[in-house]
């Protein structure tokens, strides 16, 4: 854990650390129901995910997978829709959680 995070956690009172943002502990521990598709993505979308996770730009990804930039954006939009992600960062987090980024 980084030093600023440790300092922040150390400064919090027990009430704040137990229930941040006014939510009760039972609300926070409940898992969210899986409402989206959990099947693995097609091969091309998995490749796009892996390249995004590696930090490549959309332009570079398009060249590497022999697609137009627009097609890459459409694949990313389909992935975000399937996972319920709001942005590319949360898409990466959701893909990692589902095991789509591992070999």
């Amino acid at each position: 854990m980084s030093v600023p995070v440790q300092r922040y956690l150390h400064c919090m009172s027990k009430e704040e650390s137990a229930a941040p943002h006014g939510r009760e502990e039972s609300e926070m521990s409940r898992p969210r129901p899986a409402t989206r598709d959990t099947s693995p993505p097609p091969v091309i979308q998995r490749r796009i995910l892996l390249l995004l996770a590696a930090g490549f730009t959309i332009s570079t990804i398009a060249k590497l997978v022999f697609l137009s930039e627009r097609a890459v954006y459409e694949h990313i939009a389909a992935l975000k829709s399937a996972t319920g992600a709001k942005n590319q960062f949360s898409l990466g987090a959701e893909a990692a959680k589902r095991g789509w980024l591992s070999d």
Side-chain angles (χ1 to χ4, degrees), residues 15-101:
E15 296 83 29
E16 290 174 327
S17 62
H21 307 293
R23 293 185 291 179
E24 293 192 17
E25 190 174 341
S26 62
E27 288 180 39
M28 295 177 59
S29 60
R30 275 184 276 167
R32 291 180 293 167
T35 58
R36 303 289 180 165
D37 184 19
T38 57
S39 61
V43 173
I44 188 67
Q45 290 181 352
R46 187 162 183 270
R47 287 182 183 159
I48 291 170
L49 273 173
L50 290 168
L51 292 168
L52 274 174
F56 288 95
T57 64
I58 301 297
S59 176
T60 303
I61 293 170
K63 291 173 186 170
L64 291 172
V65 296
F66 303 104
L67 293 174
S68 68
E69 288 183 29
R70 180 70 189 150
V72 172
Y73 278 114
E74 289 173 358
H75 281 293
I76 292 170
L79 286 163
K80 288 195 294 190
S81 175
T83 60
K86 302 289 183 201
N87 54 46
Q88 289 180 13
F89 182 84
S90 59
L91 172 61
E94 187 65 29
K97 185 170 81 174
R98 294 178 186 211
W100 294 350
L101 299 179

